[in-house]
Amino acid sequence: MTEAALRSINADPGWTACAHCRNLLYRKRWMRDLYVCPDCGAHARVTAPDRVDQLLDCDGRESIDAGTGLVDPLGFTDVRPYPERLTEARARTRLDEAVMCLRGRIDGRPVVLGVMDFRFLGGSLGAGVGERVTRAAEAALHDRVPLILVTASGGARMQEGALALMQMAKTSQALAQLDDAGVLTVCVVTDPTYGGVAASFASLADVILAEPGARLGFAGPRVIEQTIRRSLPAGFQSAEFLLERGLIDAVVPRDQLAATLGRLIDTAGHGRGLPGGVGWLAATSADNKLPPVVRDPGALAPSDPWQTVQWARHPERPTTLDYLRYLSDSFVELRGDRTGQDCPAVVGGLCRLDGRPVMVIGNQKGHNTRELVSRNFGMPSPAGYRKAARLMRLAEKLGLPVVTLIDTPGADPGPEAEEQGQSVAIAENLRLMARLAVPVIAVVTGEGGSGGALALGVADRVYLLEHAIYSVISPEGCAAILWQRPNEAAKAAAALRLTARELLDLRVADGVIIEPKGGAHADHLQAAEALRLTIGEELGQLERLRPEELVRQRRQRYRRFGTPA
């Protein structure tokens, strides 16, 4: 279809053509589909008022005062005076600036929403936009409700010179205040989001979602290609490209966006410092039974260490995602280390366990060869540890407990992991977990292999499932180094004292969670129920402690290892 034919069709009020696949679309259906092509799935740009209608409940909307602002601070003229451009943009869009900011509700939950409109001077970031975004952040801070920002921008507004540049710092500072106050921030990236917006508030939110095909970057692809004089890879800077590289959390189709935001806001809770423990205690005590936990090593029968190793590695043993499917229907996975990678061997996100918002982070293996290979057999890369650290910091900001589920042979043994700073990433996690000001519970559900496991294991309470193992090295590795015969792995397993009973005796573990008959792999549901009861009972105790007391006791716990009883 030629450009002339495309313009002619789009001028017809009854029909339009998809700008991506050029297929003819019935306009009313296209609008009902939220401007998403039913043939190719392309998400067309929508106006800020349309976006507000798509996301916010109809009642309770209130505009946020935008102030007077600057009109033409530089007296700028290119081929037209800047005030003339502003007047034309306001008349054409019926907006006074490139962003709308208002209070409202998403699925009944109060939020502050800021929505950019690309029609208004390309959604450029100038003093007016910066002031409105900052006021929106201040309103969210005052109300202690989540700030949701929907971005669409070509970059900073050149007609305002260095004052436009300063809006990057101004808005970033506003989001930093929300970080300090423990208020959730979410960015929804729409196409396109470039320049000063991408390099400030769009990239600083706690959670970054993007519509399919949305582009996000500092410099646009045409500028990059002209600079480096070579073609860019297919899909460069697209939402899917960014998700694969750990720079955003999820790609969400437009028709699922409001529901996703509602679930995210609900799952994240109400921010730091507000009560949340009563609901957890009521849910666990209502079961009228104690968690199936053993704290006395004498109450556990001795087990064959090598047989225990085999059970811990059983391919049907529940994974982190298996447990989450049984424990919570509100899990919102968050992905990426925000520095360029997403490690599939570590999964994490927000969920509610018995109604209590929690950050869950765990190793992820799989049940067949394809899954195991795609998840690197549960061995994290440095990006996995950095993703875990990012989620722990978010949990601390929101005042949420952290629960880690450990099941890994150890750290990634490949050279790439060393090149990417594996030792630094593990060490940073150990330091971070030692001083997190929220309750932390770690459960070894399968293999707890060396520093790769400990990077998720510094906690107030550490539990092992009955047939889990925890060791400084694998039995095979120990046998190869010390016996110089890998076939002595069974002997090494016994010498390492890596079973749950022996680790409880060494006080490495605080308790052992009894597994169903035949092992956790024989009954995922019952194993998950035992895990739920244990976590609930323990968090009910830990959340009574003040943050400084949590940190003090956690440090004492690790201080004692290796000293006389």
Side-chain angles (χ1 to χ4, degrees), residues 356-373:
R356 178 68 161 85
V358 176
M359 182 70 76
V360 176
I361 305 165
N363 301 114
Q364 181 65 21
K365 287 183 177 178
H367 298 301
N368 55 50
T369 301
R370 182 185 60 80
E371 291 177 347
L372 289 165
V373 170

Side-chain angles (χ1 to χ4, degrees), residues 280-303:
W280 184 287
L281 288 171
T284 54
S285 61
D287 290 326
N288 199 30
K289 59 181 179 179
L290 293 175
V293 173
V294 173
R295 303 182 189 277
D296 177 7
L300 289 169
S303 60

Side-chain angles (χ1 to χ4, degrees), residues 1 15 91 302 391 421 426 435 437 506 527:
M1 186 182 298
W15 297 88
L391 299 187
I426 292 173
R435 58 191 187 195
L506 291 169

Side-chain angles (χ1 to χ4, degrees), residues 9-42:
I9 290 170
N10 286 333
D12 185 330
W15 297 88
T16 188
C18 174
H20 182 72
C21 69
R22 305 298 179 94
N23 284 351
L24 195 62
L25 305 174
Y26 183 51
R27 189 180 293 272
K28 287 186 177 179
R29 180 190 174 188
W30 183 57
M31 293 170 66
R32 284 197 303 268
D33 291 339
L34 306 180
Y35 305 96
V36 176
C37 176
D39 297 324
C40 71

